[in-house]
Amino acid sequence: MRSRFHSDRRLTVRMGLTLFLLGLLYVGFVAALIVLLRSWVLVAVLVGALFVAQFWFSDRIAVFAMRGRPVAREEYPELHAVVDRLCALADLPRPVVAVSAMDMPNAFATGRSPDHAVVCVTTGLLRRLEPAELEGVLAHELSHVAHKDVAVITVASFLGVVAGLVVRFAFYSQIFGGGRRDQNTAIVFAAVLGVSAAVYALSFLLIRALSRYRELAADRAAALLTGRPSALAAALTKVSGEIARIPTKDLRTAQAFNAFYFTPATGREPGIERFFSTHPPLGQRLEQLGRISLELGEAAGPGKAG
C-alpha cells in the first residue's frame, strides 16, 4: 500500500546512489580488513553481528539513548490523536508513539520499515508548540517513515559505525599493548587504522549530503500533506530559537542523534561547517516552505477551487 505522502523521485535516486557508493566502500573495507587481519571468519562474524544489531534494534537503541519510552493513549491522548489523524490521512501504518523526558524541543522517527517504526517527541516540544505546529512536526517525521529514508540512514550509518569502532579498537590497542608488538604487527594495525579512518570520512560525507536533502524532502511532503506550510515554518522557527537558548552541555548527549532529529541540537546556525551538517540551514527550509505556501495559496485562489 502506497502512502499519500508526496513522493520525491530525487530523494529516491539520492538514496539509491548513496547506498550504491557505500556498498562499494563497504566491500572494499571488508576486503581490506580480511587481508590485513588474515581472518575472514573474524571479520564476517564481527561485521554481521553489528549489522544485525543496528538494523533490527536501531529504533530501541535510539529511543533508549534519548531517554524515551512508548506511551499509552491514556497518558498522551492529544499526541496519539494527531498521529492517528495523520496516519489515516497519509494511509500509513501507525507507528509506536514515544515521549522523551527532555526539555530540548525536538522529535525524531526511527525504525527499519513503516510497519516497524517509532515516532518520538520530547516533553519540551509538547510544552512549547501549538496543535497546528505539532501536527506539522509529526507530519515531517512520518514522511521520513513513508519515504523509507529512516531505514536508509540506519543502514548507511552502519559502515561509519563499524569503521569508527575499528579506529577506536586499533587506537586503544596501540596505547595499551604497543610494547608487546613487533614491527610487522604495528604496521598491520597502522594500515587498519588508516583504512578505517578513510572509510569513516567518506561515509560521513555521503551520509551528511543525503541527510540534508531528506530533511528538505520531509518538510515538503509534510507541508503538502497537511496543507499548512506556515504552521511547519512556525514550528521550525520556534524550535530552532528555543534550542539556541539551551546550554551547550545539555545538548551534547543529543548531538549524536542529529541525523534523526527534526532540527539539529547545535544551538546555532552552521557557518562553513554547513557542508558537514545533517540539516540544511534554517533559512533554506523556511524559503522552501514559503514557496509551497504561495503555490497552495494560488491553487486555492478564486476560480481554481475544485
Side-chain angles (χ1 to χ4, degrees):
M1 184 180 294
R2 293 175 61 87
S3 81
R4 297 194 181 99
F5 272 106
H6 177 72
S7 61
D8 193 309
R9 183 169 297 180
R10 286 181 294 177
L11 175 62
T12 302
V13 171
R14 286 168 185 250
M15 289 193 298
L17 180 60
T18 299
L19 286 179
F20 175 74
L21 293 175
L22 284 172
L24 292 178
L25 197 60
Y26 175 75
V27 171
F29 179 56
V30 171
L33 287 183
I34 292 174
V35 170
L36 292 170
L37 299 180
R38 299 179 181 179
S39 175
W40 67 267
V41 175
L42 174 64
V43 173
V45 170
L46 174 65
V47 172
L50 288 173
F51 177 79
V52 170
Q54 179 157 351
F55 186 72
W56 286 92
F57 302 110
S58 61
D59 52 347
R60 302 178 197 178
I61 293 171
V63 173
F64 175 79
M66 295 314 301
R67 291 179 285 169
R69 63 178 180 87
V71 294
R73 189 179 302 275
E74 294 75 20
E75 295 179 85
Y76 290 89
E78 294 86 0
L79 175 61
H80 276 269
V82 175
V83 172
D84 288 345
R85 183 168 63 253
L86 288 171
C87 288
L89 183 62
D91 199 12
L92 194 68
R94 192 177 184 280
V96 173
V97 178
V99 171
S100 170
M102 296 181 66
D103 186 55
M104 178 192 68
N106 228 318
F108 67 90
T110 184
R112 62 183 184 271
S113 71
D115 292 316
H116 301 87
V118 178
V119 172
C120 182
V121 299
T122 66
T123 52
L125 185 83
L126 294 174
R127 187 170 63 254
R128 290 174 172 89
L129 295 190
E130 299 296 326
E133 296 168 348
L134 177 62
E135 181 184 64
V137 173
L138 290 172
H140 171 103
E141 297 305 328
L142 287 171
S143 74
H144 284 313
V145 175
H147 290 158
K148 298 185 174 70
D149 58 70
V150 169
V152 170
I153 284 291
T154 298
V155 173
S157 301
F158 167 73
L159 182 58
V161 169
V162 173
L165 288 174
V166 172
V167 169
R168 291 185 183 183
F169 174 75
F171 178 74
Y172 287 116
S173 295
Q174 283 294 102
I175 289 179
F176 296 112
R180 297 189 298 272
R181 292 201 174 91
D182 57 26
Q183 185 176 2
N184 290 335
T185 304
I187 293 174
V188 169
F189 267 86
V192 170
L193 186 64
V195 170
S196 301
V199 167
Y200 179 81
L202 289 172
S203 61
F204 178 91
L205 294 174
L206 286 171
I207 292 168
R208 290 305 190 273
L210 174 62
S211 182
R212 289 193 295 274
Y213 185 84
R214 84 181 187 114
E215 293 301 330
L216 291 172
D219 285 345
R220 185 162 50 247
L224 293 174
L225 180 73
T226 62
R228 290 191 283 190
S230 59
L232 180 56
L236 269 170
T237 303
K238 184 180 292 186
V239 169
S240 299
E242 291 293 330
I243 288 179
R245 297 187 183 95
I246 294 178
T248 303
K249 63 181 179 66
D250 295 334
L251 298 177
R252 285 173 184 160
T253 301
Q255 287 174 357
F257 293 90
N258 269 345
F260 293 93
Y261 274 131
F262 173 62
T263 55
T266 58
R268 57 188 173 82
E269 275 287 279
I272 188 65
E273 65 268 25
R274 68 183 180 276
F275 297 108
F276 309 108
S277 175
T278 56
H279 292 62
L282 175 62
Q284 184 179 0
R285 298 176 74 176
L286 294 178
E287 182 182 358
Q288 174 183 250
L289 291 172
R291 291 196 302 268
I292 296 173
S293 184
L294 289 175
E295 293 170 6
L296 294 179
E298 292 174 359
K304 295 185 180 181

